Amino acid sequence: MNLNQLTFREAVQGDLDNIVLMLSDDKLGQKRERYTRPLLESYLNAFHSIEADPNNELIVACDREEVVGVLQLTMIPFLTYQGGWRASIEGVRTAMTHRGRGIGTLLIKRAIQRASDRGCHMIQLTTDKQRPEARRFYEKLGFEATHDGMKLHLLRK
């Protein structure tokens, strides 16, 4: 695979199977995702919500026609920073067969450019403490661990 031939676009519904497979294809993803065929309806519902929201982008990296990477980019308006916008990155994954080739780096750079194009003053993400290699990856791209993030999981209805 030649990284110069890698293309980026917004995901379409036909990509969803590959996206969910990538999200579930690691130790942590296996605990929280369910890759089944057919896919759970909740994945399709979430995709349609993301697709309909102009402040959300589900970006895929493609090697020719094959989806080999994904991330979700969300632009969020805030009152802080004088009413500034910031972007949030979530669900960064590269296909198991394509890891270590620079696809993740190019995906993040694409997200940074998209956030900049939309006028965001900051881009943020979280990474699980069980993934120290992910933290090192983001630090190499210029991200700094300036805050402690906290989460509260809510019961699903």
Side-chain angles (χ1 to χ4, degrees), residues 1-8 62-63 98 101-104 106:
M1 180 192 76
N2 181 347
L3 285 181
N4 292 328
Q5 295 177 337
L6 198 66
T7 59
F8 300 92
C62 299
D63 179 13
H98 287 71
R101 298 182 185 181
I103 294 168
L106 293 177

Side-chain angles (χ1 to χ4, degrees), residues 12-21 39 43-44 47 58:
V12 296
Q13 186 174 326
D15 299 325
L16 198 51
D17 191 76
N18 285 339
I19 291 169
V20 174
L21 179 60
L39 291 176
Y43 287 117
L44 191 57
F47 175 80
L58 194 58

